[in-house]
Amino acid sequence: FQAEDGIRDSVASRGLGDVYKRQHLDRLKYSLNETKISCSIEDCKTEIEKLLSESKSEDGYIYYQVSRGVDSKRSHFFEESDCERFGFVEEFSFSSQTPLRVMLVDDIRWQRCDIKSTSLLGNVLQMNDAKSMGCNEILMHKNGELTEGGASNIFFVKDKTIYTPELSSNILPGITRHQVIKIIKDKKLDFQEGSYGINDLNEASSIWFTSTTKGIVGVEEIVNLETKINPECELLEICKDAFVKKYFS
């Protein structure tokens, strides 16, 4: 617990469907396996479903985390112990999203961001630096290569093609990211995954963030980078409308 030795996930408390929720459980299981935390995924599933069933909120999400538990002494070497599980429901309106003001920052996080861990100090420091500049998100890059947001994945549009950084150990495999890519392909929109840099953002006509709590939301400004962002991007609206109809209508 003291060493941020735990994993987490968030699941929307309405909409999205069983497939979407199963993908969250699959990611939770992946994070447990990668961190070698001994915990039954079936126990996690039961507790998450109980939170879902008992939630009185019509709109919101479930936060759920598992830590390795309490060691007999403070040490970097973990012992066999009973894991500790914790979850709650947070009220949240998915329909009240407004375009984001974003700051471009160095990615100072650890090298296993594919694990959805509770180790978020890098995110917290950079997000609060951005908050002091009037921003509500960050867009991270590692040595000039785009990675992701502080709490989301990123997409951008250039020359009528939608792009997103390909998955790596520096990028969380977002569940909403996966669903948005499926929508893009179903709509037969031009799309590429790859390695992209800051210069690509200079030329982007639209930039989006995706996550469980954001859904799909556009960026209105990057405060420390000159861009050509068009807030009324047709491709963004096509994907947003399809996402809402598929998961929340």
Side-chain angles (χ1 to χ4, degrees):
F1 180 80
Q2 290 177 321
E4 297 183 327
D5 192 3
I7 56 95
R8 64 196 167 88
D9 220 304
S10 300
V11 185
S13 60
R14 73 172 182 88
L16 303 182
D18 291 338
V19 172
Y20 202 106
K21 290 164 188 170
R22 187 164 63 247
Q23 289 174 341
H24 279 279
L25 285 169
D26 287 344
R27 184 171 65 185
L28 191 70
K29 183 178 180 180
Y30 171 81
S31 295
L32 287 169
N33 289 339
E34 291 299 298
T35 53
K36 298 180 175 64
I37 294 176
S38 179
C39 178
S40 165
I41 193 64
E42 290 302 315
D43 288 345
C44 297
K45 179 182 178 182
T46 299
E47 291 175 347
I48 290 171
E49 288 179 343
K50 184 179 180 181
L51 285 167
L52 282 168
S53 66
E54 294 181 354
S55 172
K56 297 179 181 179
S57 172
E58 294 184 358
D59 212 356
Y61 66 91
I62 289 169
Y63 174 86
Y64 189 82
Q65 75 173 45
V66 184
S67 69
R68 198 176 304 277
V70 180
D71 279 341
S72 59
K73 61 180 179 179
R74 184 185 179 279
S75 171
H76 288 179
F77 299 101
F78 53 78
E79 304 171 352
E80 282 297 322
S81 60
D82 293 331
C83 66
E84 293 190 345
R85 301 188 299 271
F86 167 74
F88 62 85
V89 179
E90 181 80 12
E91 290 190 9
F92 183 85
S93 176
F94 293 92
S95 61
S96 62
Q97 301 283 9
T98 57
L100 302 170
R101 287 188 88 228
V102 174
M103 187 165 80
L104 185 69
V105 300
D106 290 328
D107 191 340
I108 62 173
R109 303 169 301 163
W110 73 317
Q111 302 300 309
R112 287 301 310 274
C113 295
D114 56 310
I115 299 171
K116 197 169 176 71
S117 77
T118 57
S119 181
L120 292 169
L121 185 56
N123 306 59
V124 168
L125 290 173
Q126 297 284 48
M127 290 281 275
N128 280 275
D129 283 345
K131 181 182 177 182
S132 70
M133 299 293 291
C135 299
N136 43 15
E137 246 293 9
I138 56 175
L139 200 164
M140 293 183 279
H141 68 91
K142 192 173 287 291
N143 300 319
E145 183 175 326
L146 303 179
T147 53
E148 56 187 354
S152 30
N153 295 112
I154 59 172
F155 291 76
F156 65 91
V157 177
K158 190 170 69 169
D159 298 328
K160 298 183 179 181
T161 297
I162 303 169
Y163 298 85
T164 192
E166 62 187 350
L167 294 179
S168 70
S169 62
N170 293 317
I171 295 176
L172 182 75
I175 308 303
T176 303
R177 174 189 183 276
H178 175 81
Q179 298 301 328
V180 171
I181 290 174
K182 190 174 186 304
I183 287 170
I184 291 169
K185 291 180 177 179
D186 288 345
K187 294 286 184 182
K188 294 181 169 51
L189 303 174
D190 290 336
F191 172 70
Q192 292 187 31
E193 290 180 81
S195 176
Y196 307 109
I198 296 171
N199 289 342
D200 291 300
L201 297 180
N202 293 119
E203 300 300 321
S205 59
S206 180
I207 301 169
W208 324 337
F209 282 67
T210 65
S211 72
T212 295
T213 55
K214 289 183 178 69
I216 310 173
V217 61
V219 172
E220 67 177 4
E221 180 186 7
I222 300 178
V223 297
N224 55 345
L225 185 72
E226 185 176 342
T227 64
K228 301 176 181 179
I229 294 174
N230 173 16
E232 299 179 0
C233 173
E234 181 183 6
L235 293 175
L236 170 59
E237 294 307 317
I238 289 171
C239 292
K240 283 177 67 174
D241 289 347
F243 183 79
V244 171
K245 286 177 182 177
K246 186 170 184 177
Y247 296 111
F248 289 101
S249 60

